[in-house]
Amino acid sequence: MSTEDTMHNNEHDHDHHGNFWTTYVFSTDHKMIAKQFLISGIIWALLGGALSVIFRLQLGFPDMDLSWLKPVLGEWIDIQGKLDPEFYLALVTMHGTIMVFFVLTAGLSGTFSNFLIPLQIGARDMASGFMNMLSYWFFFTSSTIMFISLFLETGPASGGWVIYPPLSALPQAMSGSGLGMTMWLVAMALFIVSTLLGGINYITTIINMRTDGMSFTKLPLTIWAFFLTAIIGLLSFPVLLSAALLLIFDRSFGTSFYLSEIYIGGEALPNTGGSPILFQHLFWFLGHPEVYIVLLPSLGITSEIIATNSRKPIFGYRAMIGSMLGIAILSFVVWAHHMFVTGMNPFLGSIFTLLTLIIAIPSAVKVFNYLTTLWKGNLIFTPAMLFSIGLVSYFISGGLTGLFMGNSAIDIQIHDTYFIVAHFHLVMGSAAFFGMLAGVYHWFPKMFGRMMDAKLGYIHFWFTFIGVYLIFFPMHYIGIAGFPRRYYSWTNFDTFNGFTDLNMFVSIAAIFTFVAQFIFLFNFFYSMFKGRRATANPWKSTTLEWTTPVDPGHGNWPGDIPKVYRWPYDLGKPVNDEYAAKFSDEEMKNVPDFIPQNIPFSKTPETNFPNENELIALEDEDDKAIEVK
Amino acid sequence: MNTQLHIMEEPKKTFTIHPKKFAMWLFITTVVMIFASLTSAYIVRQAEGNWLIFELPKILWVNSGIILFSSIFMHWAYVSAKNDNTKNVKIGIGAVAILGFTFLIGQVMAWGDLVNSNIFLVGNPSGSFVYVLTGLHSIHLVGGLIFLLIVLKSTIKLKVHSKNMAQIEMCTTFWHFLGGLWLYLFIFLLLYR
Amino acid sequence: MFQVVIGIGILLVVLILFMLFRIGTLLDVVKGSNQKVVTKSNKVNAALFVVLLVIGFGWIFIYSYVYFDDYNLPLASEHGVETDYMFWVTMAITGVVFLITHILLFIFPIRYSYEENKRALFFPENHKLELIWTIVPAVVLSVLIFKGLQVWGDITSKAPEDAEVVEVMGQQFAWTPRYPGSDNRLGDFDYRLIGDDNKMGVDFTDDGSYDDFIPREIHLPKGKPVLFKIRARDVIHSVYAPHFRVKMDAVPGMPTSFHFVPTKTTAEMRVETGNAEFNYELACAEICGRGHFAMRMIIVVDTPEEYEKWKSEQTSLVAQNEILFNLVPDDKKELAKVKGKVKTEVAAVESSEEVKK
């Protein structure tokens, strides 16, 4: 369903290496696979967003007659036009699953890791194009199964995206735990295979296929982010597979890994000795790193965009790498902070509080580094830059509320209330989403050889940025007031039965924000065919992808792969004293404010630092022969 | 736009491991994570009590011997390939495949023994875990067997020799890994009863 | 008909927007602004950040100030004082950080927006700065962690010996409380004994069960420690009593517990909130199926005297339901009659049956 949309995008590319099927469908070219992931991701995001609009209608307008949704939802709307409470849970579950896995994992990593890794490290393609293609098609199959499960008579999986057993293990507990859950598990198993295939490929490519001179200390931060993301995925997704495997055994073969002493549907089940907490441990061992699988690529993309559009180097390149490494490592030892009130040993709770709050330190370092990068910059507000600043804002506001939840004593009250909903939607949902959008705006010229319309981009940004805050900021208030999440309605409780207005406000904001995304959709597809033609390096950036032709063909560079001499952030580099003394004002003005990575130091004597002048001695004749445009 | 690519010689590699071999190691990492998580789940679950203790089938000792033995053959086949002794490679890989298959039969017999001593897949998790761990390992072993057959086919086509070692090297690595993984599981099951 | 009109209306709006967009892009081409590095939009975007900063923070502060009481859930437990205090301390700290970082983030765009002949400051690193903003958060966090773990330790410590025990069982979709009665000991239970009558699976061969009772509301004494013994019958639920700042999952096969001290009676709370119908409520905080949103139970906090009186008025399980009484083994029926205060009629029937045997 995704490939059809991309099939015309290279209409001027007379690069007929293969037929339609090998070029657009079963392509092994990393750029085409990236586009496939992107368009699939966009379709999933629309669907995920639409689901949230439906349940927001229920929450904001509990008395509304939803009969007009009957053509889509069928039996799930009853005769009075009311949404079925169980289907409400199905909507919530599928919204979570789709957004976390299909949009922000596959859509984000799949798109940008595939697209940027070979281009930015100077490789012709991924280590294995075939595996890369398999990765997409496993994802596609998984998507198809998950999509079909939406239309089951018994409904899709409805036990929350965390699928805690016994609820998810027993069809007696809710109808969604029947076939819907089975399909969820099958789809997720395929999804994990897809992610692992992708991850293995990314890591192998980054380690083995960097161009000459591209040492790890010269890698753009995007690549560092994708690299660490892939490693985290490789270590954590197999664990989800184990958790799912045991759940499948419990569901289908009657084992008791997670089930114990259950009386349901008028009978006592024979299972004893299982532990539901065991599932939660296994799940969150993936689940928490998953947060960073979603977030790190966005942070990497943002680092790149903010540096480029501030026309100055990212502040603290090494600190950025260090903090990402810290986050990656710590992400594996904080999982149980999701489980403070599950009856887990309180002592474990103390340890996880400690470890969890430590993770705030590298996150804080990242924020301060972004701010310092903006400081005294020469800021150009492309849509990508705006979305990156938006990401930093969400990362701060969502990250700070993490200090509440991470502290086990405070977590008791706000656990599973709207406070946590606000927290993770800002820090991982919206922030990652903004990273993805920023990436699309920034690399669109490289993907499709055309520019997206900037003005529409600005409108899209401001509507979305403000809209998202209008949705999630009030949720903190509702959360402080104690509203539990995943409630179909609050009218049963006096404690929660206020704030109808606020809920309506949130719902309206959600619909507004959702509708605003159509501006992006229009811009995206319109620009793909009719956008202004791009130049090879429209943002005056330094990384290698901008040294390719406007529409890079299979193999990326028509001639030799460029060699790399310098780090990726030689932006706004000052003229050194020696040259400043003899340069006229005119000459000073003509010194470019960016030096791409493939320019040898011998070509830039006016901006070299003394230690860089020494590096010239290491360059050979070929290097010196490189022409600077 | 001129897209007639003249792909020139690539710049020299910055890292020397063969990409496919490296990918293979990453795959092994994921398998390690699966079994690491399952065995940790085993420990966590055991610590919660209500844990049935039973004897492991004796045949597992025999199976462990078989898989160790097969690793020796695998290594012999690998060395033979290095010395361009195609005949020995064929014999070696054939022997490994037969031993691997015997191991699988042995595992099924072990399940039979478990059933005879009233330990079923469904029941106390201590038994279920044994089935899941051995079963999952066997599935990986079937993958290993398929890989062996692919290498055997290449050997017959004379594609495996001292200048073309990548495939058999990967196969050897994977087979040794499967052997090592089994020993880990076996020792683990012996220690944590 | 109405829908068709709406449809046409939307279509027209979209078309007009599209025309505006086309005209806009054409104008850009005419003006040549699409060739420049930055256009006027750069300043507009930068200014909008400042506008957002002022309006956004203004709104947040005014709204929070005016409506604070609406969202500040009344508090009625001892440990809740501690956790609420910590919550607001954390709120103050994060609030300041939020404010400062956002002022910087939203002021920098206008302060440093693009100028043609300006060059950005080449400032790749500064170890002193980086060290500062690693250490300062670390110190602040250690304080929060230290205080947090102290409170957490108190809350999760062992319940005092004299705590009033209440068993709370979650099921789809209701709570069932059970009190140990006068002997202060809950009878054993076994999930296999659960049935239509014995909905908590109480084991009536255990002496402790004869005076156990299941009331329709949970009553708690003010000022005395209360221990919730929590379990679930089918799937995971979560005991959530918002006013007491209590939350603990109810897990099938794995009993959990939570102890706390209620500090205000329902009557006192009615006065404090000015709501004559105020009731403490118990909700479910872990997704448990279709009726997750409706697992309500009222909690009543009494003065200790009222509480004792209420307890003494309750009928034990064996006295309430003959079928349950019949589950008691014969040799213990006398004991059950005494402990459970089984009314004489029932007892009479029973004894006459015994005589017949």
Side-chain angles (χ1 to χ4, degrees), chain A residues 250-314:
Chain A
D250 271 7
R251 288 169 49 81
S252 308
F253 304 109
T255 53
S256 317
F257 291 109
Y258 306 133
L259 305 178
S260 185
E261 305 186 14
I262 292 163
Y263 176 92
I264 194 164
E267 60 166 340
L269 303 183
N271 310 65
T272 52
S275 165
I277 303 292
L278 178 61
F279 176 85
Q280 299 177 14
H281 277 298
L282 288 173
F283 180 86
W284 286 114
F285 189 85
L286 157 92
H288 197 78
E290 170 67 23
V291 170
Y292 295 98
I293 291 174
V294 163
L295 193 55
L296 279 182
S298 284
L299 293 175
I301 288 169
T302 316
S303 308
E304 189 69 21
I305 293 171
I306 288 189
T308 301
N309 289 299
S310 300
R311 312 310 299 159
K312 66 189 283 243
I314 191 85

Side-chain angles (χ1 to χ4, degrees), chain A residues 208 235 242 253 273 551 554, chain B residues 1 5 8 17 33 37 45 122:
Chain A
N208 290 287
L235 295 178
S242 310
F253 304 109
D551 234 337
H554 208 100
Chain B
M1 193 183 78
L5 297 182
M8 319 282 268
I17 294 186
M33 282 311 292
S37 59
R45 175 58 202 79
V122 177

Side-chain angles (χ1 to χ4, degrees), chain A residues 80-135:
Chain A
Q80 282 100 39
K82 287 268 165 277
L83 186 68
D84 183 82
E86 204 155 307
F87 195 69
Y88 169 84
L89 295 176
L91 290 171
V92 174
T93 304
M94 294 315 278
H95 170 75
T97 307
I98 289 170
M99 289 305 196
V100 171
F101 293 112
F102 290 67
V103 180
L104 294 177
T105 304
L108 180 59
S109 274
T111 305
F112 291 103
S113 293
N114 269 317
F115 191 75
L116 291 178
I117 288 175
L119 281 171
Q120 288 198 332
I121 66 171
R124 299 258 180 233
D125 203 324
M126 284 288 185
S128 166
F130 178 70
M131 254 168 73
N132 212 11
M133 180 189 84
L134 273 188
S135 164

Side-chain angles (χ1 to χ4, degrees), chain A residues 124 200 203-204 207-208 210-212 234-235 238-239 242 253-257 273 275 278 551 554 558 560-561, chain B residues 1 5-8 10-11 13-15 17 19 22-23 26 30 33-34 37 41 45 48 50 121-123 125 128:
Chain A
R124 299 258 180 233
I200 289 176
I203 299 174
T204 312
I207 289 200
N208 290 287
R210 281 166 290 132
T211 182
D212 203 6
L234 209 62
L235 295 178
V239 180
S242 310
F253 304 109
T255 53
S256 317
F257 291 109
S275 165
L278 178 61
D551 234 337
H554 208 100
D560 283 340
I561 292 180
Chain B
M1 193 183 78
L5 297 182
H6 309 283
I7 295 182
M8 319 282 268
E10 306 280 327
K13 290 274 178 279
T14 39
F15 195 71
I17 294 186
F22 187 76
L26 292 177
T30 65
M33 282 311 292
I34 291 182
S37 59
R45 175 58 202 79
E48 282 180 16
N50 188 4
L121 171 64
V122 177
S128 313

Side-chain angles (χ1 to χ4, degrees), chain C residues 235-304:
Chain C
V235 300
I236 300 178
H237 302 271
S238 188
V239 167
Y240 175 36
H243 299 97
F244 305 112
R245 312 296 192 253
V246 166
K247 192 176 285 133
M248 181 51 72
D249 280 7
V251 186
M254 195 192 90
T256 55
S257 65
F258 200 106
H259 67 88
F260 63 101
V261 182
T263 51
K264 289 170 195 163
T265 64
T266 301
E268 285 168 354
M269 206 55 154
R270 284 183 177 161
V271 175
E272 187 186 310
T273 55
N275 174 4
E277 261 134 55
F278 176 88
N279 272 316
Y280 292 115
E281 286 173 315
L282 180 66
C284 180
E286 184 66 64
I287 180 171
C288 60
R290 180 179 194 93
H292 170 51
F293 66 103
M295 283 178 66
R296 176 178 189 249
M297 169 152 276
I298 289 180
I299 300 177
V300 180
V301 179
D302 299 318
T303 59

Side-chain angles (χ1 to χ4, degrees), chain C residues 45-46 102 119 169 204 211 235 260 269 278 325 328-329:
Chain C
N45 279 311
H102 270 80
R119 233 178 144 84
M169 185 190 76
F204 288 100
D211 55 351
V235 300
F260 63 101
M269 206 55 154
F278 176 88
F325 182 77
V328 179

